């Protein structure tokens, strides 16, 4: 899916071409697998869902409010020849998550891949941050990943390994952020939720590895989505953002989607408990390029 198809006007660095995902992959590495992607109606989640379909997986497209976005992802998946349906669920609600997994088992028989992606920002200077803003971000970003990861682990343990499908009993990919290691003033709730995801992911990975369940994280840097429009929409904002990105281009959602397909596939079978930073070098302390 080209960046320009996402319904908002992008600012591109004139010297660099946009990243475009190839049409349905000939190499269907996830054929026969069933995936569930949370927050898949827009941005990173939508691209991941479609890319998993390109790789041959059937996909549950979870959304909380944007049914139109979810329906678009479902249509793109069906055009790829895989099965897909949209599932409304608030990932912070245990009842919603249980119902979502129950339906997935009814429709697809099982789930092999979870991409726990749903997340949001509610920014405020720390001394003005309300308890409601703190709780909202922690409950969607962190508790939501806990609930979906727990239901996936239950299902993977119940089913066990099916060698004809995958080397692993199941794969979990937690979508975190560079802010699981980079502190972020004005976004304390968000950074705390992402730091929490990091230790949750590693601890669960340690616990479930003997069951051949792999749990990893992708930590995106600045990716062109509606969540951070202010950081890339004008040439001035884009230039300021590039000071933080050694690779000198904004990330596209397809950059993350490709990493997710790889982490979901048996190509990464010996990888668990790892965090893959897909950030154009944002975590390389670019402030030290000349200083220090
Ligand atoms: C945030 C974006 C931000 C990026 C890099 C992401 O996790 O959601 O708003 O641009 O980190 O700072």
């Amino acid at each position: 899916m080209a960046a320009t198809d996402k319904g908002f006007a992008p600012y591109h660095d004139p010297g660099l071409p946009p990243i475009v995902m190839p049409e349905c992959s000939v190499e269907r590495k996830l054929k026969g697998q069933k995936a569930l992607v949370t927050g898949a109606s827009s941005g990173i989640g939508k691209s991941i869902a479609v890319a998993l379909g390109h790789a041959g997986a059937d996909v549950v497209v979870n959304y909380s409010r944007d049914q139109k976005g979810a329906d678009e992802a479902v249509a793109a998946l069906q055009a790829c020849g895989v099965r897909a349906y949209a599932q409304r669920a608030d990932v912070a609600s245990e009842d919603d998550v249980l119902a979502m997994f129950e339906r997935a088992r009814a429709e697809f028989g099982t789930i092999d891949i979870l991409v726990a992606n749903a997340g949001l920002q509610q920014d405020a200077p720390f001394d003005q941050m309300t308890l409601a803003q703190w709780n909202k971000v922690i409950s969607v970003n962190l508790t939501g990943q806990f609930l979906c990861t727990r239901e996936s682990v239950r299902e993977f343990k119940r089913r066990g390994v099916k060698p004809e499908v995958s080397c692993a009993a199941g794969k979990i990919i937690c979508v975190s952020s560079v802010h699981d290691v980079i502190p972020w003033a004005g976004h304390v709730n968000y950074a705390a939720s992402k730091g929490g995801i990091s230790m949750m992911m590693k601890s669960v990975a340690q616990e479930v590895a003997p069951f051949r369940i792999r749990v990893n994280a992708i930590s995106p840097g600045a990716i062109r989505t509606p969540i951070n429009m202010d950081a890339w929409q004008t040439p001035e904002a884009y230039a300021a953002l590039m000071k933080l990105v050694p690779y000198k281009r904004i990330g596209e959602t397809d950059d993350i989607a490709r990493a997710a397909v790889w982490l979901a596939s048996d190509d990464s079978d010996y990888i668990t408990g790892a965090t893959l930073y897909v950030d154009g070098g944002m975590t390389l302390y670019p402030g030290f390029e000349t200083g220090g």
Side-chain angles (χ1 to χ4, degrees):
M1 192 192 307
T4 42
D5 294 341
K6 292 191 176 123
F8 49 92
Y11 171 74
H12 281 294
D13 185 318
L16 296 167
I19 304 296
V20 181
M21 191 84 183
E23 281 312 303
C24 298
S25 169
V26 276
E27 214 188 348
R28 301 202 138 203
K29 290 207 157 160
L30 304 178
K31 196 169 181 332
Q33 299 199 44
K34 319 293 176 193
L36 190 159
V37 184
T38 67
S41 56
S42 73
I44 289 172
K46 192 176 190 178
S47 281
I48 292 176
V50 174
L52 293 174
H54 283 169
D58 296 330
V59 185
V60 180
V61 174
N62 161 255
Y63 69 99
S64 64
R65 286 183 310 274
D66 180 7
Q67 185 171 356
K68 186 169 165 283
D71 288 344
E72 285 164 12
V74 167
L77 284 158
Q78 288 169 344
C80 245
V82 296
R83 292 172 64 199
Y85 65 88
Q87 171 72 52
R88 201 214 71 81
D90 171 2
V91 293
S93 153
E94 187 170 30
D95 288 349
D96 280 15
V97 171
L98 292 178
M100 176 164 71
F101 275 80
E102 203 176 305
R103 179 171 172 209
R105 274 188 301 272
E107 301 258 358
F108 287 168
T110 190
I111 288 289
D112 304 282
I113 299 161
L114 166 71
V115 182
N117 163 79
L120 48 79
Q121 285 180 219
Q122 289 204 352
D123 310 326
F126 186 61
D127 56 349
Q128 288 163 42
M129 186 172 283
T130 63
L131 180 60
Q133 286 172 319
W134 171 268
N135 283 340
K136 180 76 182 171
V137 170
I138 297 293
S139 67
V140 173
N141 296 12
L142 183 56
T143 309
Q145 293 212 7
F146 157 68
L147 289 169
C148 294
T149 296
R150 189 190 65 184
E151 287 320 297
S152 298
V153 166
R154 286 176 174 168
E155 173 61 13
F156 300 162
K157 279 188 169 181
R158 181 195 69 74
R159 172 179 32 75
V161 180
K162 289 262 162 72
E164 66 279 15
V165 175
S166 173
C167 303
K171 283 87 50 160
I172 294 168
I173 299 165
C174 300
V175 178
S176 180
S177 163
V178 289
H179 298 295
D180 57 14
V181 288
I182 302 178
W184 208 16
H187 310 260
V188 170
N189 48 1
Y190 183 83
S193 73
K194 297 300 185 177
I197 287 170
S198 186
M199 281 312 288
M200 181 192 77
M201 179 279 290
K202 287 193 243 189
S203 302
V204 177
Q206 190 189 60
E207 186 170 328
V208 302
F211 300 94
R212 290 272 166 90
I213 297 170
R214 298 194 295 115
V215 191
N216 292 290
I218 296 175
S219 288
I223 307 300
R224 189 198 309 277
T225 71
I227 206 173
N228 60 356
M229 236 180 214
D230 291 349
W232 52 260
Q233 229 181 0
T234 65
E236 298 72 31
Y238 192 87
L241 180 64
M242 285 308 104
K243 293 205 173 98
L244 300 174
V245 185
Y247 203 60
K248 301 300 170 211
R249 75 164 170 85
I250 194 167
E252 305 295 348
T253 56
D254 290 340
D255 289 314
I256 307 301
R258 290 199 182 98
V261 169
W262 180 71
L263 274 180
S265 79
D266 285 348
D267 286 348
S268 59
D269 187 57
Y270 205 47
I271 298 179
T272 193
T275 298
L276 187 54
Y277 288 89
V278 184
D279 67 350
M282 197 174 229
T283 38
L284 296 176
Y285 296 96
F288 282 79
E289 262 171 42
T290 52

